[in-house]
Amino acid sequence: MSSKTSRLSLAVAVAMTGVIGLATVPMMAQAQAPTTAAPQKNWKDRAEYDLFDAITKDTNAKTKLEKLQQWEKQYPTTDYGDERQMLFLTTYVALQQPQQAVGIAKQILAKDPKNFSALYYTMFYTRALAGNSPTPEVLDQGEKAAKAILDNINTPPPNVTEDQWKTARTDVENLAHTTLGWIEMQRKNWEASEAEFQKSLQINANSGEVDYLMGTDIASEKKVEKMPQALCFFARAATFDGQGALNPDGRKQVLAYVQKAYKTYHGGDDGFDTLIAAAKASPTCPADAVHIEDAATIADRKAKEQAKADAANPQLTMWKNLKTALTGADGASYFESSMKGALLPTLKGKVVSMTPALKPKTIVMALEDGTTPDATLKFEAALPGKVDVGTELTFEGVPESYTTSPFMVVFAVEKDKLHGWTGKNAPAPVHHRTAH
């Protein structure tokens, strides 16, 4: 058992000190005269008392169970039936046999519906008995037990002092809310489950298990707007390493999960460190603890930004569309059928290089980003002078050929279809003298 489980079991053991103390009950040979008090209990014979005495002194749970079973077989009816059931309960708990323990607890509750120990272990073993396919009966009995404990949480169990209960109450109350939250999760009552986990975290904010359950609960609602909070709880379960944390392997597994879930939700890893920091700083991960934009919202925003940019620069949009078509699986076919030999509408780009440097007949341009060469313009006649690298030009050209790696389209361009050419450093025109 975990340290937390041990503390809880100790709380219950304290509540049962009166039962354990029965080892000092004297043997009664005969029934006593009637009184106004409760009827006097008597042993059937000395052998029953000796067997009981041996049971209470046995510290080995396995042999203690054997003696209890012997007692039950030899003395099916006894004045100490209630005490025997409690000894069976604590022995099954010591042997970590949930099904047998809860079976005895149900028998005890049938006679004493408020028996703290029976209620506690019915609640405590709910998840162990439920397994992967919990039955309604297991969930219902766990819920009933947890609620009964919470209904009387202000009152110490029998044989427990106020001071002892102050120490034990927090863990018991916390477990009750966690159990109720887990039960509602199995029923897919997400909001009810979340409310119980929140109560648990208000009692003890440092619980890796409850953090993980809360993250699972919120994520199961499948509400995009609540996913950042779910991721926050997962991140806290993965990184919290104080008392109440998941074991190292568990934290490692949850961290791998939350990294993947974050990337799926957000569309990338950027901002993940911010999530981790927020989770560490926010033990209860309130809804506004962290803002994470989902991938769909990001894509929609980028699409709107792109549409705006496309409207402002239609030449660039057309060029990108052409590049997409040419680099696709049917690029060659598209070029032959839709581009080659056809005069394309105006395109715009920046000069990367010229050949020759002065009075060029070939210009290499960057149409997409202004720096990466992707278009070559060829002229039959040399252009006048030159322009600076980076000069923006527009043109209408006829595609002649293209390559995909590196991407380059070669255009034949008429001189009058080039716009923005300034022709710097062109030689001055030669004037011939007229003979007189």
Side-chain angles (χ1 to χ4, degrees):
M1 289 187 180
S2 66
S3 59
K4 183 175 181 180
T5 301
S6 298
R7 294 198 306 275
L8 290 167
S9 299
L10 178 60
V12 178
V14 170
M16 296 188 295
T17 52
V19 175
I20 303 303
L22 284 172
T24 61
V25 174
M27 176 186 173
M28 299 293 177
Q30 301 292 332
Q32 303 297 309
T35 66
T36 55
Q40 178 67 56
K41 293 185 177 183
N42 299 293
W43 304 104
K44 297 288 185 182
D45 51 34
R46 179 75 196 197
E48 183 187 13
Y49 173 79
D50 290 342
L51 183 55
F52 172 81
D53 187 51
I55 291 168
T56 57
K57 291 177 179 178
D58 196 340
T59 58
N60 184 301
K62 184 177 179 181
T63 54
K64 178 181 283 191
L65 178 61
E66 293 171 353
K67 292 184 179 74
L68 279 167
Q69 291 168 339
Q70 180 185 349
W71 182 16
E72 187 175 48
K73 182 178 180 181
Q74 292 180 0
Y75 300 91
T77 60
T78 176
D79 287 356
Y80 293 93
D82 293 343
E83 290 80 0
R84 184 162 66 189
Q85 283 186 313
M86 291 301 298
L87 286 168
F88 264 117
L89 175 60
T90 56
T91 304
Y92 282 131
V93 170
L95 290 170
Q96 298 185 38
Q97 296 181 7
Q99 188 170 357
Q100 291 81 353
V102 173
I104 289 292
K106 290 168 72 174
Q107 294 176 26
I108 295 171
L109 292 172
K111 295 175 62 178
D112 180 9
K114 293 186 178 180
N115 185 283
F116 176 82
S117 298
L119 289 171
Y120 173 79
Y121 281 116
T122 300
M123 171 184 72
F124 180 80
Y125 283 128
T126 296
R127 292 170 65 179
L129 291 181
N132 295 325
S133 302
T135 64
E137 179 186 3
V138 170
L139 297 181
D140 290 346
Q141 70 188 23
E143 178 185 35
K144 185 177 180 181
K147 287 184 175 180
I149 286 178
L150 290 174
D151 286 343
N152 296 283
I153 199 68
N154 293 321
T155 304
N159 304 309
V160 177
T161 67
E162 291 282 352
D163 288 341
Q164 288 172 328
W165 186 234
K166 279 183 183 179
T167 302
R169 169 181 167 160
T170 299
D171 286 339
V172 174
E173 186 176 10
N174 194 4
L175 178 62
H177 286 301
T178 302
T179 301
L180 289 172
W182 184 85
I183 289 170
E184 295 298 350
M185 275 186 70
Q186 309 316 301
R187 295 169 174 166
K188 303 188 187 306
N189 295 333
W190 310 122
E191 291 185 1
S193 177
E194 182 180 344
E196 292 296 338
F197 290 142
Q198 285 287 10
K199 292 175 184 177
S200 176
L201 289 173
Q202 286 168 9
I203 296 171
N204 177 16
N206 296 322
S207 172
E209 179 191 31
V210 178
D211 287 332
Y212 181 78
L213 289 172
M214 181 69 98
T216 303
D217 182 87
I218 297 173
S220 297
E221 294 184 55
K222 300 187 184 302
K223 294 181 179 179
V224 173
E225 67 276 11
K226 296 188 73 172
M227 194 60 188
Q229 188 180 21
L231 292 171
C232 178
F233 278 111
F234 283 131
R236 184 161 178 79
T239 56
F240 176 65
D241 60 359
Q243 185 174 354
L246 298 176
N247 62 49
D249 286 341
R251 294 200 300 272
K252 184 177 180 180
Q253 291 176 11
V254 178
L255 180 61
Y257 170 79
V258 72
Q259 287 175 321
K260 182 178 179 180
Y262 179 90
K263 189 171 184 178
T264 299
Y265 178 80
H266 181 61
D269 297 319
D270 58 295
F272 185 73
D273 290 344
T274 302
L275 168 66
I276 295 297
K280 289 182 177 180
S282 308
T284 57
C285 284
D288 59 352
V290 60
H291 174 71
I292 307 171
E293 200 171 22
D294 64 283
T297 299
I298 294 173
D300 182 63
R301 186 186 71 251
K302 288 183 176 180
K304 290 177 180 178
E305 292 172 350
Q306 187 61 53
K308 186 176 180 180
D310 291 346
N313 192 344
Q315 295 97 336
L316 177 60
T317 301
M318 181 176 69
W319 179 246
K320 286 182 176 180
N321 291 338
L322 288 173
K323 181 177 180 180
T324 299
L326 292 175
T327 54
D330 299 323
S333 176
Y334 177 81
F335 182 80
E336 291 294 329
S337 63
S338 303
M339 287 182 63
K340 189 174 183 179
L343 181 65
L344 297 187
T346 303
L347 293 169
K348 180 171 63 175
K350 292 183 178 181
V351 174
V352 175
S353 64
M354 296 166 288
T355 306
L358 186 63
K359 299 176 69 175
K361 295 182 70 175
T362 301
I363 304 175
V364 176
M365 298 186 65
L367 275 59
E368 184 171 355
D369 60 12
T371 58
T372 305
D374 51 13
T376 299
L377 281 54
K378 291 187 174 181
F379 301 86
E380 288 190 0
L383 297 172
K386 68 174 184 177
V387 295
D388 295 331
V389 170
T391 298
E392 188 172 86
L393 303 174
T394 59
F395 66 94
E396 297 89 45
V398 177
E400 292 184 338
S401 63
Y402 86 102
T403 57
T404 57
S405 184
F407 181 76
M408 179 65 68
V409 179
V410 178
F411 293 89
V413 182
E414 298 290 337
K415 215 171 185 181
D416 61 351
K417 299 295 183 182
L418 180 68
H419 317 290
W421 184 267
T422 56
K424 295 178 181 179
N425 298 323
V430 177
H431 298 284
H432 299 282
R433 294 178 107 188
T434 304
H436 295 283

